[in-house]
Amino acid sequence: MQAHRPALQDPLFVIKPAPQKLTIYEIATLADTSPSTVSAILNGTWKKRRIAEQTALHVQALAKTHNYSVNRQASGLRTSRSGLAGMLIPTHEDRYFGIMSEAFDRMARERGLQPIVVSTMRDPALEVATAKTLITYQIDHLFVAGATDPDSVSRVCKRHNVMHVNVDLPGKLAPSVISDNYGGAVELTSTLIERSHKQPTAARDRLYFVGGVPEDYATQRRIQGFTDTVEAKFGTVRAQQVHACGYGREVTRDEVAKLYAKLCGLPRGLFLAASVCLEGAIGFLKSLPIEELQNCAFGSYDWDPFATYLRFPVHMMRQDVTGLLTEAFNIMQGERWPQPKVYEIRPHLILGD
């Protein structure tokens, strides 16, 4: 016996055509305004054109009701601008770059841009490959944050006439907006010296720098600020006081553990190169008695809100992410090809007391 097959005219099996999306001209008719006004409202530039907010809200409501979305690629072909802004970051797991990517997302949207953020895992080849991919999507701007090889990315951008700016680490071929790593390191080291106490042995009665990469510009400037400040107070800084072991949690944890074993205790002060280095160090420090921890001055060149809940004080330099990105956006909105100048933004000291 054959199974019953529903008739094609059965209402349950009628294939209904998808509703046709309205065009920008139809939305303009519904809103009783011009297509150019609708376009400016939907691409986020209506404030620059001094379009009334009431009109903007009305058009946006109509677009939402009728599921209208801007075709970025088609818009880019018509205007030579896509409204897309890209950002390269080295990693998503570092709190500093996480805060930066979130701030970039918000600030790009405030300027009528659609943000795209991609991690390149500190791989210079991947930085270049990702930049090339983003350029195929006709991005208008590229923010190159913390790149290992920013100049190679600049060469790609220049070949394709894409405006770009370096953030956090400088390059020689494009404007760069970075933290005042030297000044911040001097301020943080001075705080560690002021808050530290004399230790029982000569090796322990010193400040030590742990973390970062020797080839990294930010690390170099932080080490220089640390070294100059310690030398001004105590004299020569020995090579064994600087441990640029990398940015990984595990490697920093192991480096602090080895230093503790070698010194037979904690030193007078410990300068950690970044918040991820602080996290790694805590992986070892949590095993120590509170009395030992309170007898060492800890500093982190990056801010971590959870550090305020530790049983011992940690002094931190909080980088001004909003200031960095504001300056970077200002550069993008200025002259077409700005000079490759370096702009330094001062970080803020957060005391752990």
Side-chain angles (χ1 to χ4, degrees):
M1 183 176 178
Q2 290 185 337
H4 170 70
R5 292 184 178 180
L8 292 177
Q9 65 269 25
D10 190 326
L12 293 176
F13 291 88
V14 173
I15 299 176
K16 298 180 179 179
Q20 190 173 6
K21 292 182 179 179
L22 293 185
T23 67
I24 199 169
Y25 302 97
E26 291 169 321
I27 291 179
T29 299
L30 290 173
D32 193 23
T33 188
S34 68
S36 63
T37 297
V38 173
S39 177
I41 292 169
L42 296 180
N43 67 27
T45 61
W46 60 274
K47 290 183 179 178
K48 292 181 180 179
R49 291 187 49 184
R50 298 184 180 180
I51 295 170
E53 184 177 4
Q54 185 177 0
T55 302
L57 293 174
H58 181 44
V59 169
Q60 290 167 352
L62 285 171
K64 184 177 180 180
T65 299
H66 295 282
N67 296 318
Y68 180 87
S69 60
V70 177
N71 186 327
R72 294 281 178 184
Q73 289 185 322
S75 175
L77 290 172
R78 290 193 303 270
T79 65
S80 298
R81 296 184 67 81
S82 65
L84 299 175
M87 170 177 269
L88 304 183
I89 60 172
T91 175
H92 288 291
E93 70 172 357
D94 185 288
R95 182 176 296 278
Y96 167 62
F97 287 110
I99 292 172
M100 180 177 287
S101 64
E102 184 176 1
F104 171 75
D105 187 290
R106 171 179 52 80
M107 295 172 73
R109 294 179 192 278
E110 289 173 351
R111 290 162 173 79
L113 299 169
Q114 183 67 31
I116 304 174
V117 181
V118 185
S119 166
T120 54
M121 299 182 287
R122 302 188 189 277
D123 182 341
L126 190 54
E127 291 167 359
V128 170
T130 304
K132 289 179 178 178
T133 299
L134 291 176
I135 288 170
T136 65
Y137 285 92
Q138 298 182 317
I139 57 171
D140 295 331
H141 312 286
L142 183 61
F143 293 69
V144 186
T148 304
D149 186 4
D151 288 344
S152 289
V153 176
S154 283
R155 293 185 187 98
V156 172
C157 290
K158 284 180 177 291
R159 281 200 299 269
H160 294 274
N161 204 35
V162 173
M163 278 285 287
H164 59 289
V165 62
N166 299 313
V167 182
D168 181 66
L169 289 178
K172 297 178 181 178
L173 303 179
S176 304
V177 185
I178 66 174
S179 286
D180 180 4
N181 291 286
Y182 180 85
V186 167
E187 188 172 6
L188 182 58
T189 306
S190 298
T191 300
L192 295 181
I193 292 173
E194 292 171 4
R195 305 301 175 95
S196 64
H197 308 285
K198 187 172 178 61
Q199 298 299 305
T201 66
R204 287 179 60 187
D205 196 33
R206 297 177 186 140
L207 274 71
Y208 290 78
F209 184 104
V210 178
V213 179
E215 299 79 19
D216 177 74
Y217 175 87
T219 300
Q220 292 173 359
R221 295 296 288 162
R222 292 170 194 177
I223 290 175
Q224 192 63 55
F226 169 83
T227 301
D228 288 350
T229 308
V230 173
E231 285 184 343
K233 178 67 176 180
F234 299 109
T236 304
V237 172
R238 295 166 174 78
Q240 57 266 35
Q241 287 179 250
V242 177
H243 299 251
C245 57
Y247 282 116
R249 293 183 181 89
E250 291 77 14
V251 71
T252 308
R253 177 198 63 204
D254 296 343
E255 195 69 22
V256 173
K258 286 190 293 184
L259 180 62
Y260 179 85
K262 183 177 181 179
L263 300 178
C264 298
L266 288 173
R268 179 172 187 148
L270 198 59
F271 185 125
L272 297 159
S275 60
V276 68
C277 299
L278 172 63
E279 292 175 24
I282 290 172
F284 168 73
L285 296 173
K286 66 182 181 181
S287 64
L288 301 181
I290 185 62
E291 292 78 14
E292 281 196 76
L293 297 172
Q294 292 176 337
N295 206 32
C296 175
F298 294 96
S300 169
Y301 200 108
D302 265 342
W303 173 77
D304 190 320
F306 291 103
T308 60
Y309 296 101
L310 294 173
R311 297 181 299 160
F312 53 93
V314 178
H315 311 293
M316 295 174 279
M317 292 307 303
R318 184 173 187 175
Q319 302 190 69
D320 185 0
V321 170
T322 300
L324 290 167
L325 291 178
T326 297
E327 188 64 43
F329 274 109
N330 288 341
I331 291 170
M332 288 293 198
Q333 294 170 351
E335 57 183 295
R336 181 59 185 164
W337 291 111
Q339 294 299 313
K341 177 182 175 181
V342 175
Y343 302 81
E344 288 190 321
I345 306 298
R346 189 167 182 80
H348 308 293
L349 177 65
I350 308 296
L351 293 174
D353 301 329

